[in-house]
Amino acid sequence: MQIFRFSYTSIPCLPHSVLAAGFFDGFHQGHRALLTEAKKQAERLGLPWGVLTFDPDPWAVFRPGEPLEHIQSLEDRERTAEALGANLFCILDFTRAFASLSPDGFHQVLKDIHVDYLVMAPAMPALCSP
């Protein structure tokens, strides 16, 4: 499995791929469903597949000082993704500047990292409300 770590302002040359995006604090059943869909789409398109995750945890950026507990460390998530068959593990540095990108700016980042198909969980209004 190839591991890439980058900022949205300094993107390495990545292969065209299918990625499942999220923080993935632990690969529970819901996360695994996203990975299964990414793998399915990658097989359909003949592309490698993997994970697009963020570091640090977005909550740590927006709520500094609040205690956070994670099921797995970043290194554990890398190992789990590899064990699940992922070809790529992409770590995007999460900053306030990245979070403030417009939707078009985020889509450009996805284009720049050659994401041909993106798998994400739908937004959960109860979790996103102020």
Side-chain angles (χ1 to χ4, degrees), residues 45-103:
L45 296 168
L47 295 170
W49 72 277
V51 171
L52 173 63
T53 193
F54 309 101
D55 188 53
D57 182 335
W59 284 104
V61 173
F62 291 111
R63 298 180 181 205
E66 283 192 25
L68 288 171
E69 292 186 31
H70 295 112
I71 298 167
Q72 292 183 308
S73 68
L74 183 60
E75 294 78 18
D76 289 338
R77 291 184 280 153
E78 288 173 9
R79 284 190 288 274
T80 301
E82 185 170 29
L84 293 170
N87 307 114
L88 308 166
F89 194 84
C90 302
I91 307 158
L92 182 54
D93 294 333
F94 193 91
T95 63
R96 285 183 176 269
F98 169 71
S100 70
L101 287 176
S102 68

Coordinates of all heavy atoms in Angstrom, one line a residue, residues 45-103:
L45 N -14.0 0.4 -12.4 CA -13.3 1.3 -13.3 C -11.9 0.9 -13.6 O -11.2 1.6 -14.4 CB -13.3 2.7 -12.5 CG -14.6 3.3 -12.3 CD1 -14.5 4.5 -11.3 CD2 -15.2 3.8 -13.7
G46 N -11.4 -0.2 -13.0 CA -10.0 -0.7 -13.2 C -9.0 0.3 -12.6 O -7.9 0.5 -13.2
L47 N -9.3 0.8 -11.4 CA -8.4 1.7 -10.8 C -8.0 1.2 -9.4 O -8.7 0.4 -8.8 CB -9.1 3.1 -10.6 CG -9.4 3.8 -11.9 CD1 -10.3 5.0 -11.5 CD2 -8.1 4.3 -12.6
P48 N -6.9 1.7 -8.8 CA -6.6 1.4 -7.4 C -7.6 2.1 -6.6 O -8.2 3.1 -7.0 CB -5.1 2.0 -7.3 CG -5.0 3.0 -8.3 CD -5.8 2.6 -9.5
W49 N -7.7 1.6 -5.3 CA -8.6 2.3 -4.4 C -7.9 2.5 -3.1 O -6.9 1.9 -2.8 CB -9.9 1.5 -4.2 CG -9.7 0.2 -3.4 CD1 -9.3 -1.0 -3.9 CD2 -9.9 0.0 -2.1 NE1 -9.2 -1.9 -2.9 CE2 -9.6 -1.3 -1.8 CE3 -10.4 0.9 -1.0 CZ2 -9.8 -1.9 -0.5 CZ3 -10.5 0.3 0.3 CH2 -10.2 -1.0 0.5
G50 N -8.5 3.4 -2.3 CA -7.9 3.6 -1.0 C -8.7 4.6 -0.1 O -9.9 4.8 -0.3
V51 N -8.0 5.1 0.8 CA -8.6 6.0 1.9 C -8.0 7.4 1.7 O -6.8 7.6 1.5 CB -8.3 5.4 3.3 CG1 -8.6 6.4 4.4 CG2 -8.9 4.0 3.4
L52 N -8.9 8.4 1.9 CA -8.5 9.8 2.0 C -9.0 10.2 3.4 O -10.2 10.2 3.7 CB -9.2 10.7 1.0 CG -9.0 12.2 1.1 CD1 -7.5 12.5 1.0 CD2 -9.8 13.0 0.1
T53 N -8.0 10.4 4.3 CA -8.3 10.8 5.7 C -7.6 12.1 6.0 O -6.9 12.7 5.2 CB -7.9 9.7 6.6 OG1 -8.5 10.0 7.9 CG2 -6.4 9.5 6.8
F54 N -7.8 12.6 7.2 CA -7.3 13.9 7.6 C -6.5 13.8 8.9 O -6.8 13.0 9.7 CB -8.5 14.9 7.8 CG -9.5 14.9 6.6 CD1 -10.7 14.2 6.7 CD2 -9.1 15.6 5.5 CE1 -11.5 14.2 5.6 CE2 -10.0 15.6 4.4 CZ -11.2 14.9 4.4
D55 N -5.5 14.6 9.0 CA -4.8 14.7 10.2 C -4.3 16.2 10.3 O -3.8 16.7 9.4 CB -3.5 13.8 10.1 CG -2.8 13.7 11.4 OD1 -3.5 13.4 12.4 OD2 -1.6 13.9 11.5
P56 N -4.5 16.8 11.5 CA -5.2 16.2 12.7 C -6.7 16.1 12.5 O -7.2 16.5 11.5 CB -4.8 17.2 13.8 CG -4.7 18.5 13.0 CD -4.1 18.2 11.7
D57 N -7.3 15.5 13.5 CA -8.7 15.4 13.6 C -9.3 16.8 13.4 O -8.9 17.7 14.1 CB -9.1 14.8 14.9 CG -10.6 14.5 15.1 OD1 -11.4 15.2 14.5 OD2 -10.9 13.7 15.9
P58 N -10.3 16.9 12.5 CA -10.9 18.2 12.4 C -11.5 18.8 13.7 O -11.4 20.0 13.9 CB -12.1 18.0 11.4 CG -11.5 16.9 10.5 CD -10.8 16.0 11.5
W59 N -12.0 18.0 14.6 CA -12.5 18.5 15.8 C -11.4 19.1 16.6 O -11.6 20.1 17.3 CB -13.1 17.3 16.7 CG -14.4 16.9 16.2 CD1 -14.7 15.8 15.5 CD2 -15.7 17.6 16.3 NE1 -16.1 15.8 15.2 CE2 -16.7 16.9 15.7 CE3 -16.0 18.8 17.0 CZ2 -18.0 17.3 15.7 CZ3 -17.3 19.2 16.9 CH2 -18.3 18.4 16.3
A60 N -10.1 18.6 16.5 CA -9.0 19.2 17.2 C -8.7 20.6 16.7 O -8.2 21.5 17.4 CB -7.8 18.3 17.1
V61 N -8.9 20.8 15.4 CA -8.7 22.1 14.8 C -9.7 23.1 15.2 O -9.4 24.3 15.6 CB -8.6 22.0 13.3 CG1 -8.5 23.4 12.6 CG2 -7.4 21.1 12.8
F62 N -11.0 22.7 15.3 CA -12.1 23.6 15.6 C -12.4 23.7 17.1 O -13.0 24.7 17.5 CB -13.3 23.3 14.8 CG -13.1 23.5 13.3 CD1 -13.1 22.5 12.4 CD2 -13.0 24.8 12.9 CE1 -12.9 22.8 11.1 CE2 -12.8 25.1 11.5 CZ -12.8 24.1 10.6
R63 N -12.0 22.8 17.8 CA -12.3 22.8 19.3 C -11.0 22.4 20.1 O -10.9 21.4 20.8 CB -13.4 21.8 19.6 CG -14.7 22.2 18.9 CD -15.8 21.2 19.2 NE -17.0 21.6 18.5 CZ -18.2 21.3 18.9 NH1 -18.4 20.6 20.0 NH2 -19.2 21.7 18.2
P64 N -10.0 23.2 19.9 CA -8.7 22.9 20.6 C -8.9 22.9 22.1 O -9.6 23.6 22.6 CB -7.8 24.1 20.1 CG -8.7 25.2 19.7 CD -9.9 24.5 19.2
G65 N -8.2 22.0 22.7 CA -8.2 21.8 24.1 C -9.3 20.9 24.6 O -9.2 20.4 25.7
E66 N -10.3 20.6 23.8 CA -11.3 19.6 24.2 C -10.7 18.2 24.1 O -10.0 17.9 23.1 CB -12.6 19.7 23.3 CG -13.4 20.9 23.7 CD -14.8 20.8 23.0 OE1 -15.2 19.7 22.7 OE2 -15.4 21.9 22.8
P67 N -11.0 17.4 25.0 CA -10.5 16.0 25.0 C -11.1 15.2 23.8 O -12.3 15.3 23.6 CB -10.8 15.4 26.3 CG -12.0 16.2 26.8 CD -11.8 17.6 26.2
L68 N -10.2 14.5 23.2 CA -10.7 13.6 22.0 C -10.2 12.2 22.3 O -9.1 12.0 22.7 CB -10.1 14.1 20.7 CG -10.7 15.4 20.1 CD1 -9.8 15.8 18.9 CD2 -12.1 15.2 19.7
E69 N -11.1 11.3 22.1 CA -10.7 9.9 22.1 C -10.9 9.2 20.8 O -12.0 9.4 20.2 CB -11.5 9.2 23.2 CG -11.1 9.6 24.6 CD -11.8 8.8 25.7 OE1 -12.0 7.6 25.5 OE2 -12.1 9.4 26.7
H70 N -9.9 8.5 20.3 CA -10.0 7.8 19.1 C -9.9 6.3 19.3 O -9.2 5.9 20.2 CB -9.0 8.3 18.1 CG -9.1 9.7 17.7 ND1 -8.2 10.7 18.1 CD2 -10.0 10.4 17.0 CE1 -8.6 11.9 17.6 NE2 -9.7 11.7 17.0
I71 N -10.6 5.6 18.4 CA -10.5 4.1 18.5 C -9.2 3.7 18.0 O -8.6 2.8 18.6 CB -11.7 3.5 17.6 CG1 -13.0 4.0 18.2 CG2 -11.6 2.0 17.6 CD1 -14.2 3.7 17.2
Q72 N -8.7 4.3 17.0 CA -7.4 3.9 16.4 C -6.5 5.1 16.2 O -7.0 6.2 15.9 CB -7.5 3.2 15.1 CG -8.2 1.8 15.2 CD -8.2 1.2 13.8 OE1 -8.7 1.8 12.8 NE2 -7.8 -0.1 13.7
S73 N -5.2 4.9 16.3 CA -4.2 6.0 16.0 C -4.1 6.0 14.4 O -4.6 5.1 13.8 CB -2.8 5.7 16.6 OG -2.3 4.5 15.9
L74 N -3.5 7.0 13.9 CA -3.3 7.1 12.5 C -2.5 5.9 12.0 O -2.9 5.3 10.9 CB -2.5 8.4 12.2 CG -2.3 8.7 10.7 CD1 -3.6 8.8 9.9 CD2 -1.5 10.0 10.5
E75 N -1.5 5.5 12.7 CA -0.7 4.3 12.3 C -1.6 3.1 12.3 O -1.4 2.2 11.4 CB 0.5 4.2 13.2 CG 1.5 5.3 13.0 CD 1.1 6.6 13.8 OE1 0.3 6.5 14.7 OE2 1.7 7.6 13.4
D76 N -2.4 2.9 13.3 CA -3.3 1.8 13.3 C -4.3 1.8 12.1 O -4.6 0.7 11.5 CB -4.1 1.7 14.6 CG -3.3 1.4 15.8 OD1 -2.2 0.8 15.7 OD2 -3.7 1.7 17.0
R77 N -4.8 3.0 11.8 CA -5.7 3.1 10.6 C -5.0 2.7 9.3 O -5.6 2.1 8.5 CB -6.3 4.5 10.6 CG -7.2 4.8 11.7 CD -7.9 6.1 11.6 NE -7.0 7.2 12.1 CZ -7.0 8.4 11.7 NH1 -7.8 8.8 10.7 NH2 -6.1 9.3 12.2
E78 N -3.7 3.1 9.2 CA -2.9 2.7 8.0 C -2.9 1.2 7.9 O -3.1 0.6 6.9 CB -1.5 3.3 8.1 CG -1.4 4.8 7.9 CD 0.0 5.3 8.2 OE1 0.9 4.6 8.3 OE2 0.1 6.6 8.2
R79 N -2.5 0.6 9.0 CA -2.4 -0.9 9.0 C -3.7 -1.6 8.7 O -3.8 -2.6 8.0 CB -1.8 -1.4 10.4 CG -0.3 -1.1 10.5 CD 0.2 -1.8 11.8 NE -0.2 -1.2 13.0 CZ 0.5 -0.2 13.6 NH1 1.5 0.3 13.0 NH2 0.0 0.3 14.7
T80 N -4.8 -1.1 9.3 CA -6.1 -1.7 9.1 C -6.5 -1.5 7.6 O -7.0 -2.4 7.0 CB -7.2 -1.0 10.0 OG1 -6.8 -1.2 11.3 CG2 -8.5 -1.6 9.7
A81 N -6.3 -0.3 7.0 CA -6.6 -0.1 5.6 C -5.8 -1.1 4.7 O -6.4 -1.6 3.8 CB -6.3 1.4 5.2
E82 N -4.6 -1.2 5.1 CA -3.8 -2.2 4.3 C -4.3 -3.6 4.4 O -4.4 -4.3 3.4 CB -2.3 -2.1 4.7 CG -1.4 -2.9 3.8 CD 0.1 -2.7 4.1 OE1 0.4 -2.3 5.2 OE2 0.9 -2.8 3.2
A83 N -4.6 -4.0 5.6 CA -5.2 -5.3 5.8 C -6.5 -5.6 5.1 O -6.8 -6.7 4.7 CB -5.3 -5.6 7.3
L84 N -7.2 -4.5 4.9 CA -8.5 -4.6 4.2 C -8.3 -4.5 2.7 O -9.3 -4.6 1.9 CB -9.5 -3.4 4.6 CG -9.9 -3.6 6.1 CD1 -10.7 -2.3 6.5 CD2 -10.8 -4.8 6.3
G85 N -7.1 -4.4 2.2 CA -6.8 -4.4 0.8 C -6.6 -3.1 0.1 O -6.5 -3.1 -1.1
A86 N -6.6 -2.0 0.8 CA -6.5 -0.7 0.2 C -5.1 -0.6 -0.5 O -4.1 -1.1 0.0 CB -6.6 0.4 1.2
N87 N -5.1 0.1 -1.7 CA -3.9 0.3 -2.4 C -3.2 1.6 -2.0 O -2.0 1.8 -2.1 CB -4.1 0.3 -3.9 CG -4.9 -0.9 -4.4 OD1 -6.0 -0.7 -4.9 ND2 -4.3 -2.0 -4.4
L88 N -4.0 2.6 -1.6 CA -3.6 3.9 -1.2 C -4.1 4.3 0.1 O -5.2 4.0 0.5 CB -4.1 4.9 -2.3 CG -3.8 4.6 -3.8 CD1 -4.7 5.5 -4.6 CD2 -2.3 4.8 -4.1
F89 N -3.3 5.1 0.8 CA -3.7 5.7 2.1 C -3.2 7.1 2.0 O -2.0 7.4 2.1 CB -3.1 5.0 3.3 CG -3.7 5.4 4.6 CD1 -4.9 4.7 5.0 CD2 -3.2 6.4 5.4 CE1 -5.5 5.1 6.2 CE2 -3.8 6.7 6.6 CZ -4.9 6.0 7.0
C90 N -4.2 8.1 1.8 CA -3.8 9.5 1.6 C -4.2 10.3 2.8 O -5.4 10.2 3.3 CB -4.6 10.0 0.4 SG -4.3 9.1 -1.1
I91 N -3.2 11.0 3.4 CA -3.4 11.8 4.6 C -3.3 13.3 4.2 O -2.3 13.7 3.8 CB -2.4 11.5 5.6 CG1 -2.3 10.0 5.9 CG2 -2.7 12.3 6.9 CD1 -1.0 9.5 6.5
L92 N -4.5 14.0 4.3 CA -4.5 15.4 3.9 C -4.4 16.2 5.2 O -5.2 16.0 6.1 CB -5.8 15.7 3.2 CG -6.1 17.1 2.6 CD1 -4.9 17.6 1.8 CD2 -7.4 17.1 1.9
D93 N -3.5 17.1 5.2 CA -3.3 17.9 6.4 C -4.5 18.8 6.6 O -4.9 19.5 5.7 CB -2.1 18.8 6.3 CG -0.8 18.0 6.3 OD1 -0.7 16.9 6.9 OD2 0.2 18.5 5.7
F94 N -5.2 18.7 7.7 CA -6.4 19.4 8.0 C -6.1 20.7 8.7 O -5.5 20.7 9.8 CB -7.4 18.6 8.8 CG -8.8 19.2 8.8 CD1 -9.7 18.9 7.8 CD2 -9.2 20.2 9.7 CE1 -11.0 19.5 7.8 CE2 -10.4 20.8 9.7 CZ -11.3 20.4 8.7
T95 N -6.4 21.8 8.1 CA -6.2 23.1 8.7 C -7.4 24.0 8.5 O -8.3 23.6 7.7 CB -5.0 23.9 7.9 OG1 -5.4 24.1 6.6 CG2 -3.7 23.1 8.0
R96 N -7.5 25.1 9.2 CA -8.6 26.0 9.0 C -8.7 26.5 7.6 O -9.7 26.7 7.0 CB -8.5 27.1 10.0 CG -8.9 26.7 11.4 CD -8.9 27.9 12.4 NE -9.3 27.6 13.7 CZ -10.6 27.6 14.1 NH1 -11.5 28.1 13.3 NH2 -10.9 27.2 15.3
A97 N -7.5 26.8 7.0 CA -7.5 27.3 5.6 C -8.1 26.2 4.7 O -8.9 26.6 3.8 CB -6.1 27.6 5.2
F98 N -7.7 25.0 4.9 CA -8.3 23.9 4.0 C -9.8 23.8 4.3 O -10.6 23.8 3.3 CB -7.7 22.5 4.4 CG -8.4 21.4 3.7 CD1 -8.3 21.2 2.4 CD2 -9.1 20.5 4.5 CE1 -9.0 20.1 1.8 CE2 -9.8 19.5 3.9 CZ -9.8 19.3 2.6
A99 N -10.2 23.9 5.5 CA -11.7 23.8 5.8 C -12.5 25.0 5.2 O -13.7 24.8 5.0 CB -11.9 23.7 7.3
S100 N -11.8 26.1 5.0 CA -12.5 27.3 4.5 C -12.6 27.3 2.9 O -13.1 28.2 2.4 CB -11.8 28.5 5.0 OG -10.6 28.7 4.4
L101 N -12.0 26.3 2.3 CA -12.1 26.2 0.8 C -13.6 26.2 0.4 O -14.5 25.6 1.1 CB -11.5 24.9 0.3 CG -10.0 24.9 0.3 CD1 -9.5 23.5 -0.2 CD2 -9.4 26.0 -0.6
S102 N -13.9 26.8 -0.7 CA -15.2 26.7 -1.3 C -15.5 25.3 -1.8 O -14.5 24.5 -2.0 CB -15.4 27.7 -2.4 OG -14.5 27.3 -3.5
P103 N -16.7 24.9 -2.1 CA -16.9 23.6 -2.7 C -16.1 23.5 -4.0 O -15.5 22.4 -4.2 CB -18.4 23.6 -3.0 CG -19.0 24.5 -1.9 CD -18.0 25.6 -1.7

